[in-house]
Amino acid sequence: MYNPLMLEKELVAASTEPLILSLLSRGESYGYALIQDVKRLSGDKIEWTDGMLYPVLHRMENKGWIKSRWVEIENGRKRKYYSIQKDGRQALREKREQWTVISSLLGGLWKEQHV
């Protein structure tokens, strides 16, 4: 059954890289914080999991879009922080342009319709 409150997984998947790059353009962050930021900013409509997020982060790091570093936190534990790189900023600009085209197109079509 379709749940109108949650976004379709394909749309969530397609938006993952631009969301990560946008969040990291604000400053360095770590995986769990990214998950919580997206959940909060989407009004609980997007709920990422570790199993979904970390492979994307690794792929983006391999592309040179982001870099990571380990930071020791309380109790001697380590946390991996991610930051955006120059190539990531370029990728974000390109993805922003692509999403703007789609958003504008849909907005124009839906404005003409009375749904």
Side-chain angles (χ1 to χ4, degrees):
M1 180 183 279
Y2 175 71
N3 181 350
L5 300 178
M6 296 301 289
L7 299 174
E8 293 181 12
K9 67 180 183 176
E10 294 84 4
L11 185 56
V12 172
S15 65
T16 301
E17 287 182 349
L19 286 170
I20 291 170
L21 291 170
S22 294
L23 289 168
L24 293 180
S25 72
R26 296 175 165 186
E28 183 177 66
S29 192
Y30 57 98
Y32 181 75
L34 292 170
I35 289 170
Q36 294 305 307
D37 286 345
V38 166
K39 183 176 180 182
R40 177 180 51 80
L41 291 168
S42 72
D44 295 332
K45 290 182 175 67
I46 299 176
E47 292 188 27
W48 288 349
T49 63
D50 291 351
M52 183 283 308
L53 177 63
Y54 288 103
V56 177
L57 289 170
H58 293 272
R59 184 174 65 243
M60 293 172 69
E61 193 167 14
N62 289 337
K63 291 179 179 180
W65 293 356
I66 63 174
K67 73 174 182 178
S68 63
R69 68 183 181 99
W70 287 100
V71 175
E72 191 169 320
I73 57 172
E74 66 275 350
N75 301 328
R77 294 175 47 210
K78 290 187 175 185
R79 180 180 286 159
K80 197 172 195 179
Y81 279 82
Y82 298 90
S83 59
I84 193 168
Q85 298 298 290
K86 182 179 178 182
D87 287 349
R89 292 190 188 283
Q90 179 60 35
L92 176 56
R93 282 190 290 276
E94 292 168 7
K95 290 182 179 296
R96 185 180 293 138
E97 288 174 13
Q98 293 170 10
W99 279 89
T100 299
V101 169
I102 297 298
S103 177
S104 178
L105 175 60
L106 288 172
L109 288 170
W110 292 337
K111 186 191 289 187
E112 297 171 6
Q113 301 171 350
H114 301 286
V115 180

